[in-house]
């Protein structure tokens, strides 16, 4: 409703887009994906997923992160009926997981997808639309628009077999979007795409979010995910080891760093977490960590340092990068070494 | 319906993107041209404008229409469509299912609102398009040739389209299953050709054993007839030679019946490609016109000289020395024709159904 209000106050095309987005959100008042439990054990009792559960809200970009072999692709494939689960409870667009009907409103670009080399880009996208039940006229209209959108407008009638990897990826993206999906699953979408293409894909994802669609991004390119994801889940050994809004997760390890030059021996300062550490670049400096992003929490420490004739060199706020979060999540808390990512017996 | 149409069109595009498809089409066209170049007149065989005089093959023996229909069936259907073109079609389409289940392709297809069963079956139907198209083009061209050159406008020729497609479907069902299981086009092709070879061998063995069995039945009947005739002429005549022959024939008949029962039972549950295609001949070639070509024997008891010749294999059919050759051939033909199209096609389709079911189950139960 908030989005509808915002849309109503806008004008022209922006208002139109906002209204369409609001309508789409109204249609899916429930979670886009609501996983109560997904479990997958392969023959030989190898368990790829252990009772995974999470929720993806409509209109957000959700990143499923994890090292290779953690079970990310298996999870997506279970949602899309490509892999049969041992147990699956939950819903996709309000329908039970595994029900084919929901897939008419889902787009999917798998990792290392293969478009038929004998088809032209136009035929490949239209074929994808026909399988999703998009009517002929609509299919043709969308195919043209989407191929223009992904930058293949001049290559519509060329065979996919002669495309570069990046071009195939763009064509695959157009094929995934042809049914005007409410959820788009992307497995390493920028793989093989040049930097300009990557930015275009990121912009497209943001645009889809603004239209009220849900994007489920499966990636191990953390810098990419960090730029676009609203929420993330980190999967390791078939379990969700961390999940939440990206901003909140980053705030968990956030704080301020007060860099001080002490005239003599360094002292502990009030409001700081433990004794100072020596600065990595300059051994004459010491770093005091304040476990808060609020500048007022740093004032007692600054006052105490100044009172002791120390020189305040800098005060910087520090947010945890997604990569740090990720490394922390996939490492042994005792040894700090990465845990094995994959399935277990 | 939309998905079915999309998969059919896609499969056509996939097959027609291969050179073999066009090579096969070109060969079909060439064959029809050859077919058109050959004719028959009152003196013999006509090749373009030259006449090759053949006393046993001219319009006094065979009508031009029958000649073309026979040539169409013998060379066009049995040799070209049911062997060479079918092999080319298998080579072309053996990769359809391994490609369907290959990584990167199958995910995008399964993540669509279409069930795996439908996907498998639609792809299968799409694969049959290759043969159906080839046969339809060949039949249309042959229809024109037979009409123009032979003067017989025979729409029955188009029966070859469903029958040859049906023939191919038995093999393609096996190819699809094997391709799904092995994920290899080469393995699927080789195993399908082996399966085809097995069916061919089984059919040939059954046909031969059955012909010998039928010939032995005729032999026993002929001996009984001659015994009656001799006794009518002279009740005290010595018939020990015929009785000995009869008991030997009965003994052989028992063994042949057992062997045939085993082969026939095995054949019943398996597809019958050869017999399916042979239905075309049954329906389009008028057998009465062909039978008149064979000279009729008398029904008298053969002389010792004739018997000696037949025992050496001359003038006998399937080892029968007492029965008339024409009777044996007629009985074999009757036996063949007694097998209904429903039995031939029905039992074959039942086996094909099992193969498709196994393929669907395998495709549906697998993780990709």
């Amino acid at each position: 409703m908030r989005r509808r209000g915002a849309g109503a106050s806008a004008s022209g095309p922006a208002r139109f887009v906002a209204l369409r987005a609001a309508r789409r959100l109204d249609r899916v008042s429930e979670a886009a994906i609501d996983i109560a439990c997904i479990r997958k054990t392969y023959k030989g009792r190898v368990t790829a997923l252990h009772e995974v559960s999470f929720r993806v809200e409509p209109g957000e970009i959700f990143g499923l992160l994890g090292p290779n072999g953690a079970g990310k692709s298996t999870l997506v494939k279970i949602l899309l009926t490509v892999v049969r689960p041992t147990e699956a409870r939950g819903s996709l667009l309000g329908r039970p997981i595994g029900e084919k009907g929901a897939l008419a409103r889902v787009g999917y670009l798998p990792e290392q997808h293969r478009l038929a080399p004998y088809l032209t880009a136009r035929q490949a996208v239209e074929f994808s639309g026909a399988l999703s039940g998009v009517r002929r006229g609509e299919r043709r209209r969308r195919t043209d628009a989407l191929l223009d959108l992904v930058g293949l407008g001049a290559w519509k009638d060329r065979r996919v077999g002669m495309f570069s990897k990046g071009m195939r990826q763009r064509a695959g993206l157009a094929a995934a979007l042809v049914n005007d999906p409410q959820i788009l699953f992307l497995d390493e979408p920028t793989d093989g795409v040049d930097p300009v293409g990557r930015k275009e894909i990121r912009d497209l994802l943001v645009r889809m979010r603004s239209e009220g669609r849900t994007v489920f991004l499966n990636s191990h390119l953390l810098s990419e995910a960090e730029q676009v994801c609203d929420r993330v889940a980190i999967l390791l050994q078939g379990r969700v080891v961390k999940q939440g809004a990206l901003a909140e997760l980053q705030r968990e390890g956030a704080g301020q760093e007060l860099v001080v030059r002490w005239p003599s021996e360094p002292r502990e300062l009030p409001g700081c977490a433990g004794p100072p550490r020596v600065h990595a670049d300059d051994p004459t400096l010491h770093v005091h960590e304040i476990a808060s992003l609020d500048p007022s929490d740093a004032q007692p420490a600054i006052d105490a340092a100044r009172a002791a004739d120390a020189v305040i060199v800098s005060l910087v706020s520090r947010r945890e990068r997604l990569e740090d979060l990720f490394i922390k999540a996939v490492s042994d808390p005792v040894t700090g070494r990465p845990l094995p990512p994959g399935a277990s017996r | 319906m939309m998905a079915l149409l999309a998969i059919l069109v896609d499969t056509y595009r996939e097959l027609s993107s291969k050179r073999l498809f066009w090579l096969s089409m070109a060969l079909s066209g060439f064959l029809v041209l050859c077919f058109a170049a050959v004719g028959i007149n009152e003196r013999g065989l006509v090749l373009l404008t030259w006449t090759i005089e053949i006393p046993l093959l001219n319009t006094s023996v065979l009508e031009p229409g029958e000649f073309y229909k026979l040539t169409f069936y013998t060379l066009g259907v049995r040799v070209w469509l049911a062997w060479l073109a079918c092999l080319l079609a298998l080579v072309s389409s053996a990769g359809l299912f391994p490609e369907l289940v290959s990584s990167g392709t199958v995910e995008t297809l399964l993540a669509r609102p279409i069930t795996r069963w439908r996907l498998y079956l639609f792809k299968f139907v799409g694969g049959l398009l290759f043969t159906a198209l080839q046969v339809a083009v060949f039949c249309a061209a042959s229809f024109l040739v037979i009409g123009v050159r032979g003067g017989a406008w025979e729409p029955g020729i188009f029966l070859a389209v469903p029958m040859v497609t049906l023939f191919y479907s038995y093999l393609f069902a096996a190819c699809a299953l094997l391709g799904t299981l092995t994920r290899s086009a080469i393995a699927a092709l080789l195993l399908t050709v082996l399966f085809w070879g097995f069916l061919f061998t089984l059919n040939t063995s059954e046909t031969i054993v059955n012909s010998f069995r039928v010939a032995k039945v005729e032999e026993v009947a002929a001996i009984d007839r001659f015994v009656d005739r001799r006794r009518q002429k002279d009740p005290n005549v010595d018939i020990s030679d015929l009785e000995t022959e009869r008991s030997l024939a009965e003994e052989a008949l028992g063994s042949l019946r057992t062997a045939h029962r085993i082969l026939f039972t095995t054949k019943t549950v398996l597809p019958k490609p050869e017999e399916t295609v042979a239905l075309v001949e049954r329906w389009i070639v008028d057998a009465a016109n062909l039978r008149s070509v064979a000279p009729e024997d008398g029904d008298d008891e053969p002389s010792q000289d004739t018997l000696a010749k037949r025992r050496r294999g001359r003038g006998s059919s399937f080892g029968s020395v007492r029965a008339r050759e024409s009777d044996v051939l007629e009985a074999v033909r009757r036996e063949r024709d007694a097998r209904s199209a429903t039995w031939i096609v029905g039992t074959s389709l039942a086996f094909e159904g099992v193969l498709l079911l196994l393929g669907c189950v395998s495709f549906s139960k697998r993780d990709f």
Side-chain angles (χ1 to χ4, degrees):
Chain A
M1 289 309 288
R2 193 169 54 81
R3 280 172 187 265
R4 176 174 279 181
S9 64
S11 61
R15 181 165 181 255
F16 175 71
V17 168
L19 279 172
R20 269 185 65 188
R23 263 189 229 119
R24 192 168 285 121
L25 281 174
D26 280 354
R27 280 208 303 270
V28 279
S29 55
E30 69 277 4
I33 304 168
D34 187 2
I35 302 174
C37 172
I38 284 186
R39 202 158 55 81
K40 175 65 184 177
T41 303
Y42 285 102
K43 280 177 190 167
R45 295 172 185 268
V46 176
T47 302
L49 294 170
H50 298 267
E51 300 189 4
V52 172
S53 66
F54 58 79
R55 196 178 150 97
V56 179
E57 301 300 334
E60 72 176 8
I61 301 180
F62 184 88
L64 182 63
L65 314 173
N68 288 332
K72 303 188 300 289
S73 293
T74 303
L75 181 63
V76 170
K77 285 178 178 180
I78 285 175
L79 290 173
L80 299 174
T81 72
V82 178
V83 166
R84 293 154 54 84
T86 307
E87 183 185 0
R89 282 184 283 116
S91 64
L92 175 71
L93 291 174
R95 295 203 190 192
I97 291 169
E99 200 180 289
K100 282 282 185 185
L103 300 179
R105 295 179 291 156
V106 169
Y108 177 40
L109 178 65
E111 187 182 12
Q112 292 174 343
H113 71 101
R114 262 170 49 83
L115 290 174
Y118 50 84
L119 296 179
T120 64
R122 189 197 298 271
Q123 288 169 344
V125 177
E126 282 198 21
F127 175 55
S128 181
L131 288 182
S132 292
V134 183
R135 293 194 179 282
R136 198 175 172 188
E138 184 70 2
R139 204 162 67 217
R140 291 202 166 165
R141 192 183 59 73
R142 280 191 203 157
T143 297
D144 282 342
L146 284 168
L147 286 172
D148 288 336
L149 181 71
V150 298
L152 290 177
W155 298 78
K156 282 173 192 166
D157 296 312
R158 298 285 180 91
R159 288 199 176 191
V160 175
M162 59 183 294
F163 281 9
S164 68
K165 193 175 178 187
M167 289 166 81
R168 283 202 295 270
Q169 198 71 356
R170 287 160 184 257
L173 194 58
L177 290 169
V178 71
N179 57 335
D180 195 19
Q182 279 188 330
I183 302 184
L184 180 63
F185 286 88
L186 301 172
D187 203 344
E188 307 294 355
T190 53
D191 193 22
V193 181
D194 59 39
V196 176
R198 285 180 181 211
K199 183 169 182 319
E200 285 172 1
I201 290 177
R202 280 201 305 272
D203 292 345
L204 183 68
L205 301 188
V206 172
R207 179 174 153 178
M208 292 190 68
R209 174 175 57 192
S210 70
E211 289 175 357
R213 297 173 212 262
T214 309
V215 178
F216 191 105
L217 184 64
N218 198 351
S219 178
H220 54 241
L221 289 175
L222 302 175
S223 58
E224 303 253 324
E226 192 167 21
Q227 290 180 63
V228 291
C229 288
D230 300 308
R231 295 198 317 119
V232 295
I234 298 174
L235 204 61
L236 180 75
Q237 295 178 336
R239 290 187 172 87
V240 174
V241 290
K242 206 168 196 64
Q243 63 173 310
L246 186 56
E248 278 172 23
L249 291 175
Q250 286 178 317
R251 216 173 286 140
E252 275 178 19
Q256 298 172 80
E257 286 182 351
L258 179 66
V259 181
V260 176
R261 177 173 287 126
W262 288 96
S264 53
E265 280 298 301
R267 298 179 199 170
E268 284 196 30
L269 294 172
C272 293
R277 59 181 163 83
V278 178
H279 197 282
D281 297 333
D282 184 349
T284 64
L285 303 178
H286 283 83
V287 181
H288 296 260
E289 290 191 5
I290 300 157
S292 156
L293 281 169
D294 188 350
S296 62
D297 290 341
Q299 296 312 314
I302 293 170
D303 292 345
R306 288 173 67 91
D309 289 334
V311 177
I312 307 298
V313 178
S314 65
L315 175 66
V316 288
S317 57
R318 173 180 51 78
R319 278 178 191 274
E320 202 149 21
R321 288 180 306 147
L322 182 57
E323 188 174 303
D324 300 328
L325 272 171
F326 181 83
I327 298 290
K328 209 180 282 178
V330 302
S331 301
D332 187 320
V334 180
T335 63
R337 298 173 72 177
L339 290 162
S344 58
R345 278 179 188 270
Chain B
M1 193 62 194
M2 193 190 296
L4 170 64
L5 200 63
I7 290 172
L8 290 184
V9 171
D10 178 66
T11 311
Y12 169 74
R13 283 175 176 153
E14 182 174 356
L15 291 172
S16 63
S17 70
K18 294 177 181 173
R19 283 185 191 155
L20 263 182
F21 179 87
W22 298 108
L23 174 73
S24 199
M25 279 286 189
L27 285 173
S28 276
F30 176 72
L31 204 72
V32 173
L33 284 179
C34 292
F35 194 31
V38 179
I40 191 169
N41 64 17
E42 62 283 354
R43 286 187 293 148
L45 214 59
V46 181
L47 189 63
L48 292 174
T49 53
W50 299 284
T51 300
I52 304 161
E53 291 194 15
I54 304 174
L56 281 175
L57 189 60
N58 52 49
T59 46
S60 64
V61 178
L62 203 58
E63 288 296 314
E66 285 302 316
F67 166 78
Y68 275 111
K69 281 193 277 182
L70 197 62
T71 312
F72 167 77
Y73 172 71
T74 314
L75 293 176
V77 176
R78 291 209 78 150
V79 177
W80 170 239
L81 293 178
W83 276 103
L84 300 173
C86 187
L87 193 63
L88 287 177
L90 272 180
V91 172
S92 282
S93 49
L96 280 182
F97 280 83
E99 178 62 30
L100 174 75
V101 297
S102 69
S103 177
T105 303
V106 72
E107 293 94 331
T108 46
L109 295 173
L110 294 182
R112 300 285 170 196
I114 175 170
T115 61
R116 293 188 183 202
W117 284 68
R118 281 190 179 186
L119 195 57
Y120 187 91
L121 292 175
F122 290 178
K123 195 76 183 171
F124 175 77
V125 173
L128 295 182
L129 271 180
F130 184 99
T131 302
L133 269 174
Q134 296 269 352
V135 181
V137 169
F138 184 79
C139 286
S142 300
F143 176 74
L144 291 174
V145 168
I146 294 173
V148 173
R149 297 269 289 160
W153 295 96
E154 180 65 73
I157 278 170
F158 287 99
L159 280 171
V161 181
M163 299 323 283
V164 176
T165 308
L166 204 56
F167 161 94
Y168 178 70
S169 75
Y170 307 152
L171 300 175
F172 189 54
C175 191
L177 172 65
L178 294 165
T180 308
L181 292 176
T182 63
R183 297 187 183 204
S184 158
I186 293 175
L189 177 65
L190 288 178
L191 290 170
T192 306
V193 170
L194 268 178
F195 176 61
W196 189 4
F198 170 72
L199 293 179
F200 176 77
T201 309
L202 180 69
N203 179 62
T204 308
S205 308
E206 192 272 335
T207 307
I208 292 171
V209 169
N210 190 42
S211 301
F212 274 94
R213 182 187 65 82
V214 171
K216 266 313 164 222
V217 171
E218 289 297 312
E219 179 86 338
V220 170
I223 291 171
D224 286 347
R225 220 165 37 243
F226 298 142
V227 167
D228 287 348
R229 281 194 201 156
R230 280 195 203 176
R231 280 192 175 145
Q232 276 172 6
K233 285 180 187 167
D234 178 3
N236 301 320
V237 72
D238 178 23
I239 54 163
S240 58
D241 57 333
L242 288 177
E243 280 176 342
T244 310
E245 280 183 38
R246 194 183 190 286
S247 65
L248 285 173
E250 281 282 9
E251 197 180 316
L253 186 58
S255 306
L256 285 167
R257 274 186 181 138
T258 308
H260 179 250
R261 198 176 303 124
I262 293 167
L263 289 168
F264 185 74
T265 308
T266 313
K267 186 175 161 174
T268 300
V269 295
L270 290 168
K272 294 146 206 66
E274 303 295 320
E275 285 185 81
T276 302
V277 168
L279 289 173
V280 179
E281 183 197 20
R282 209 192 282 187
W283 290 330
I284 67 166
V285 179
D286 188 351
N289 289 345
L290 308 179
R291 276 167 225 164
S292 62
V293 177
E296 288 290 326
D297 299 335
D299 193 24
D300 295 335
E301 195 172 343
S303 65
Q304 289 303 318
D305 191 33
T306 309
L307 284 176
K309 273 186 191 169
R310 286 186 181 172
R311 284 193 181 107
R312 287 199 300 273
R314 289 170 61 190
S316 71
S317 284
F318 306 108
S320 138
V321 293
R322 290 279 175 183
R324 281 190 308 178
E325 190 181 2
S326 56
D327 286 348
V328 173
L329 291 175
E330 180 60 30
V332 168
R333 191 172 286 125
R334 250 196 336 265
E335 184 84 12
R336 187 199 68 181
D337 292 351
R339 289 180 188 171
S340 69
T342 313
W343 178 80
I344 294 168
V345 175
T347 51
S348 301
L349 279 178
F351 189 86
E352 184 180 331
V354 171
L355 291 183
L356 286 174
L357 183 70
L358 289 174
C360 283
V361 170
S362 162
F363 185 60
S364 300
K365 299 280 180 195
R366 189 183 285 187
D367 291 332
F368 294 98

